[in-house]
Amino acid sequence: MPIPSPPLATYRLQLSRTVDLVRARGLIPYLKELGISHVYLSPLLAARAGSSHGYDVVDHSRLNPEYGTEEDLGAFAAGLAQADMGIIADLVPNHMCIADAANARWYDVMEDGEASASTDFFDIDWGPPKAELAGKVLLPVLGEQFGRELERGAVKVVFERGTFSLSYAERRFPLTPPSWKVILEPIWRSVKARTGDDGPQAIELESILRSLGHWPAERTAARARRHERDAIARRLASLAEDASIQADVEAAVAAVNGKIGDAASFDRLEQLVSEQHYRLAHWRVAAHEINYRRFFDVNDLAAIRVENDDVFRTVHELPCRWAEQGWLSGFRIDHVDGLLEPARYLAQLRQRVADPAFYLIVEKILASGETLPEGWMTDGTTGYDHTAAVSAVLVDSDNAARLRELWRELAGQTQSFRDVVYESKRLILDTAMVAELTVLAKRLDALSEQHRYSRDFTFESLRDALREVIAVFPVYRTYITREASFVTERDARVIKVATDEAARRNPVINRSLFDFLEEVLLQREQEGMDAQQRQARRDFTLRFQQLTGPVTAKGVEDTAFYRFFPLASLDEVGGDPDRLGASVDELNVTNRLRAQATPRSLSASATHDTKRGEDTRARLHVLSELPDEWRAAVLRWRELNVAHRSRPANVDVPDPAADYFIYQSLVGGWPAAGWASDPTFPARFKAYIRKANAEAKLHTSWINPNEPYEQAVDQFIDAILDRDRSAAFLADVERFVATVELPGFLNSLTQLVLKVACPGVPDVYQGTELWDLSYADPDNRRPVDYEARTALLTRLRAETARDAARTATELLGELETGALKMFVLNQSLALRQARRASFESPRYEGCTIHGSRSRNVIAFSRGEVGRRVFVVAGRLFARLVGSGVAGALGTAWGDDGVQIAEPLPNARYREAVTNREIPVSRLNGGAGFALADLFHCLPVALVEEIA
């Protein structure tokens, strides 16, 4: 049975950590009842099986064993199809895991170097700036300096199944067969001494050594090498079945491996290692000298050249076969900005799938005001743009200036977000990704030699200019292609903005350097350049684009967001923490554009990459409404906790900014049922703060942990969360949370309804059917209790069938359970299914609100007249519900109302969440709904028009 595309609603299952494919089959009835049409499996499809990846492009029959088998996937797909549901699979075409020897392609490159048949699979610079690395791959895998690891016996030769390799910890590295001679020759001499020159074993070993001495080095001989290597391995394994030869092998290996305490005994091993096509190095070397492109700065994830047609076919063979079998109805393309030419890739994938209805979305982070490039053959994004738009409208923009004042006062910070981002990106370019910058600068230096106008630029000055332009780049990347005859106006504007800003920030750098870089990026060739020179410039531009994205991601999402947080809920992927609130009109403009341009984009509110749980975020938004109360609370808490502070190495722990982050995070994630309800909270909170400090990279970092500082922060967290030592503080936090908890939960309901009703496809992250007061990964990947959720949904559906309005009212009285959220989600998705055409219509109209509380309401309609759905939701609840939830319900809204454009004389209107008829009232000379009627039970409403 064909599965509908685009999806009605998706549910994201994070495999391995919470559920595998076998257990997932048991969730089908629950997800179907909830209103889900597609299960979104992540991570499933990646280029290498590993700790965080899916299938193996080398062995296409194998899934990560933690997930299940291919048969399990087929059975899961069949079960979903029987329920009229489908699968969207996470596809990672940009990189592959290289952490173990099971990756045959990477292993082959390490063994044969540039001559490997798999060389074109990876993005390796075989001629890096450091001459000693020419023709080698740097492998930054050692915990200490190479010499120290060697002499402590950590790096050693092993013999397994007829093959010699290097062992370090749990990892294996191949030894190129010609280098085996240093081990085999002593064995051969020993055998000859024992059996004579004519002994069959000696003759066999001599034959093997002769073969190794005439080893074919040409790339064209790759297949012959592999055949010969395997044959020699079989011969050696056969010889080693003889106990005396096995003893000779062990003795030869032991001799090469050296003797701890005798430094000279490791010389042969050092020489053997130096003969390989890779160089083992301390992990810290990676930042400066790594010569293969990575996924961000993760050494174990090597980028692959999917722009190569052979690589593309290999990577997509299995997922496309699954799609052709009907197992998959969509792909989510991970890290699309890492690809050399995203538009070309998407067109190629569309052609390969050959199904125009196949759902295809991209993980693309859009900067504020940015849209997807024209011409991309995709249904849209994974929904971070929706998250940002909804977050902004739930923040009180009237208090933006006050929030900035509090940031300066309480955190002691005066820098603009723009400057924080600049410094953060500079830090990434100077540390984690300095090697990538150097390689790119080397290319630019070569380009400068093309013309007399630029040949006097030095490598250092070009590298500095390049660093500055990337540090101020206003978007993740541009999309200039290899074959394009011109640069689009959009990309040209971005590049011009960046070069101008870099020049402004660096008056001591010659402006002509920035002009030259701009000339290269905009493809303004000098007269007389030949085709090869023009192509070199275009290749540089493509590489430049592949670097700006990861630098922005690491600099903004993983650094600046932990340094700049006037309101931490806005420090979200795709968000802008400097934009402290937005109007309903702004949301309507955003939604109208989305309805026209990318109506099939996902509408997300949480993913594994979001910085905090969706309901943590919704609660923190409330602080924007209570800035003075919030200020008073922070000052009280600082006074109560002054005794727990410390100054290791003359550094305040915590400093004012870190302290401010701790209190925002504490309020946001405080357990819904109270302090005592979650015994895991203190440990989870402490782990999150430790992660946040490492990401900020101010006092400690992942690369250079500052243990005294981290221990001091841990001790502070332990102290303030200790029931005996901080009883007054914890009681005060509990009281303050009580003032923001109710408006926060109501924010969550609005956030939920907007996710379902705004243009796009609602995406539910696992477990968020109930309150999600989590923090960043790994906290947001904890196991989900689906048995409890299934039982709750069954109960709610039975109660709703009897009286939906009464159910809503009762659930408002037990907010801490989160059952109300599941109820609203289920009812909203049911309406979306019943009125699918209305929600997928490009027609989106903002509604006029009349009355004194008009600022507290979001209202719009979806669909054509006669079949419309009116979406009405409250916002900015803090002042409304100061005395209880009644302040956001019924008569509390007075005479305020929502006007109906183009009213129909005989239409009926039903509020679908609570299943109530809504009367049409006279409103400002026209027709409309009274908010008192719409919000009789809940401060959210979905009203269907029945003509």
Side-chain angles (χ1 to χ4, degrees), residues 592-606:
R592 262 195 300 273
L593 291 174
R594 202 174 201 237
Q596 297 296 325
T598 56
R600 296 182 174 186
S601 283
L602 288 184
S603 295
S605 50

Side-chain angles (χ1 to χ4, degrees), residues 32 72 137 178 208 226 249 320 330 365 417 472 566 623 790 875:
K32 178 69 173 178
D72 294 330
V137 181
I208 291 171
R226 186 63 52 243
V249 170
C320 288
I365 312 302
F417 181 59
V472 298
L623 299 182
T790 300
R875 71 172 191 137

Side-chain angles (χ1 to χ4, degrees), residues 567-589:
L567 188 62
S569 53
L570 297 177
D571 288 281
E572 196 51 85
V573 182
D576 181 0
D578 204 28
R579 184 192 183 203
L580 294 169
S583 67
V584 174
D585 286 343
E586 289 175 280
L587 177 67
N588 285 333
V589 169

Side-chain angles (χ1 to χ4, degrees), residues 3-7 38 329-330 350 353-360 379 600:
I3 306 302
S5 183
H38 284 71
S329 30
R350 276 285 184 209
V353 174
D355 178 2
F358 195 79
Y359 189 60
L360 189 61
D379 287 293
R600 296 182 174 186

Side-chain angles (χ1 to χ4, degrees), residues 890-902:
T891 56
W893 292 92
D895 296 330
D896 293 4
V898 179
Q899 189 164 334
I900 302 175
E902 304 177 64

Side-chain angles (χ1 to χ4, degrees), residues 155-173:
V155 178
K156 55 189 176 183
V157 174
V158 294
F159 179 74
E160 298 171 311
R161 296 183 295 278
T163 300
F164 294 100
S165 60
L166 280 180
S167 169
Y168 176 76
E170 302 299 319
R171 303 182 71 153
R172 291 289 186 272
F173 308 94

Side-chain angles (χ1 to χ4, degrees), residues 831-848:
L831 175 65
R832 187 178 175 100
Q833 186 171 32
R835 290 298 188 99
R836 181 164 191 161
S838 299
F839 285 105
E840 294 180 356
S841 167
R843 182 162 180 174
Y844 175 101
E845 300 291 342
C847 296
T848 301

